Amino acid sequence: MVPRINGVEAKSIFTKSGLPGSDWVINPYNGCLFGCMYCYAAQIARWKHPDEEWGSYLDVKTNAPELLKEELEKLEKKLKSKDFGSVFFSSVTDPYVGMEPKYRLTRKCLEVLADFGYEGSIAIQTKSPLVMEDIDVLKRLKKVSVGFTITSLDDKVSQFLEVKAPLISQRLGALKKLHDAGISTYAFVGPILPHFLTDKKILKTLLDTLQQAGVNEVWFEHINLSSKIKERLYNYLGKEAPELLPLFDSTNTQEYRDHLDHYINQEINSRGMKLGLGKVIHHRSLPKKK
Ligand code: SF4
């Protein structure tokens, strides 16, 4: 299927964040061509595209860099500061989605932040090694870190669930290169897929591999199985791998998640690594297992 690319004029670009750990969010695009089957943004971002399949469209906010410059200058006047808090790229897209080489909106927004002399922290989270093309701009930012989503070490798993995203092996390679280039990095293990407790070696090997790539900070997030996300994911699993459905179901209890949190904390602490936010991210409380 050929994706539908729409040029749009954004009304705002530097927006308040509802995500844990960030004050502001920048989305140079709306929609994401990577089309991950567990994506929470699929529900948030698609209000403008209610009938289009997630992964089949992308809104390109062509005025994003100019608008960002204006908004930063207004905030500076109001707050008398160049630090408005932590900024996150991005909440309803991947900032290095495949059209970035054509439009360079993420790069241009980073240049605006660098030219402005933004003093707050900036986190860029992606699944794409394209971010490495912007190392020169990243080096001009005062406090920046780049995170890669790593849900498994197995390329087959990433191909199955993160259908059109770059492979995990490419992401790990990029993490190492960014670290070697002196850029602060982190890994985001989210959603936590239901295999960490079935085979405890998986988490150990994952953390060992991340450490070898120079990562010291890891964020973990439990899978969000709210009704809309679950509907899309379970439809896909039902067609492609129905044997996995009971496994996903088994992770949807508070007991499972408490047990996993304890294990993750133990493994992180024993390695002297840092757990993002100091805890595993939960979305909502779950029923007790019967
Ligand atoms: S890369 Fe992120 S925003 Fe894009 S589909 Fe995957 S989870 Fe959603």
Side-chain angles (χ1 to χ4, degrees):
M1 189 200 308
V2 180
R4 204 157 68 79
I5 311 297
N6 315 297
V8 298
E9 290 265 307
K11 291 200 172 61
S12 67
I13 191 74
F14 195 72
T15 50
K16 279 277 180 195
S17 165
L19 297 174
S22 57
D23 300 308
W24 301 90
V25 68
I26 296 177
N27 286 294
Y29 305 93
N30 173 54
C32 184
L33 303 179
F34 292 159
C36 305
M37 285 302 157
Y38 52 70
C39 182
Y40 74 97
Q43 303 315 318
I44 302 170
R46 68 178 310 165
W47 61 276
K48 283 188 182 166
H49 301 269
D51 302 321
E52 287 175 82
E53 198 184 320
W54 182 248
S56 72
Y57 67 89
L58 187 73
D59 292 343
V60 176
K61 299 180 185 174
T62 49
N63 60 336
E66 297 74 23
L67 191 56
L68 179 60
K69 184 169 184 293
E70 277 170 32
E71 290 180 347
L72 290 176
E73 285 168 358
K74 267 191 207 154
L75 275 166
E76 183 188 13
K77 272 192 196 136
K78 189 170 153 195
L79 302 173
K80 313 271 182 256
S81 165
K82 283 186 184 281
D83 177 359
F84 318 139
S86 52
V87 181
F88 182 66
F89 283 81
S90 296
S91 59
V92 294
T93 189
D94 186 300
Y96 287 94
V97 72
M99 298 310 285
E100 172 65 12
K102 178 167 182 190
Y103 295 99
R104 298 284 180 201
L105 288 176
T106 296
R107 180 184 174 90
K108 287 177 192 165
C109 287
L110 291 172
E111 283 171 341
V112 168
L113 285 157
D115 293 345
F116 176 79
Y118 192 70
E119 290 173 358
S121 61
I122 298 168
I124 300 159
Q125 194 168 306
T126 183
K127 288 188 171 93
S128 174
L130 275 177
V131 63
M132 286 191 297
E133 294 185 8
D134 291 349
I135 286 178
D136 57 328
V137 192
L138 297 174
K139 287 194 165 176
R140 291 179 52 219
L141 293 162
K142 294 186 196 296
K143 286 182 224 162
V144 71
S145 59
V146 177
F148 271 81
T149 309
I150 307 284
T151 42
S152 154
L153 290 180
D154 187 342
D155 280 342
K156 284 197 208 100
V157 174
S158 68
Q159 273 176 316
F160 178 64
L161 285 174
E162 298 155 353
V163 190
K164 290 180 238 161
L167 297 174
I168 294 278
S169 50
Q170 296 172 311
R171 297 178 217 167
L172 285 166
L175 269 172
K176 173 91 174 65
K177 284 184 186 149
L178 286 163
H179 173 75
D180 291 348
I183 305 292
S184 168
T185 57
Y186 70 97
F188 185 84
V189 182
I192 304 170
L193 298 176
H195 59 315
F196 287 99
L197 281 185
T198 48
D199 180 353
K200 291 202 166 182
K201 277 200 300 262
I202 292 175
L203 179 62
K204 287 179 192 287
T205 312
L206 176 76
L207 292 176
D208 287 346
T209 308
L210 290 174
Q211 275 192 306
Q212 283 155 18
V215 171
N216 189 50
E217 180 176 347
V218 189
W219 291 54
F220 281 88
E221 182 186 44
H222 285 293
I223 193 163
N224 184 345
L225 287 176
S226 61
S227 59
K228 288 284 178 195
I229 298 170
K230 186 172 174 179
E231 186 184 315
R232 181 165 168 268
L233 175 66
Y234 275 39
N235 273 341
Y236 177 69
L237 292 176
K239 280 186 212 139
E240 302 294 329
E243 68 282 6
L244 293 179
L245 286 168
L247 203 56
F248 275 83
D249 273 341
S250 71
T251 67
N252 207 20
T253 70
Q254 195 64 51
E255 282 83 354
Y256 174 90
R257 295 184 179 198
D258 289 346
H259 191 51
L260 191 53
D261 289 0
H262 179 70
Y263 178 46
I264 288 169
N265 270 287
Q266 217 177 21
E267 288 298 322
I268 287 275
N269 291 337
S270 70
R271 286 172 166 74
M273 295 177 92
K274 184 179 170 196
L275 181 61
L277 283 184
K279 60 181 183 184
V280 180
I281 301 169
H282 286 240
H283 287 276
R284 61 195 170 94
S285 57
L286 296 160
K288 294 273 177 199
K289 199 174 182 179
K290 298 212 174 84

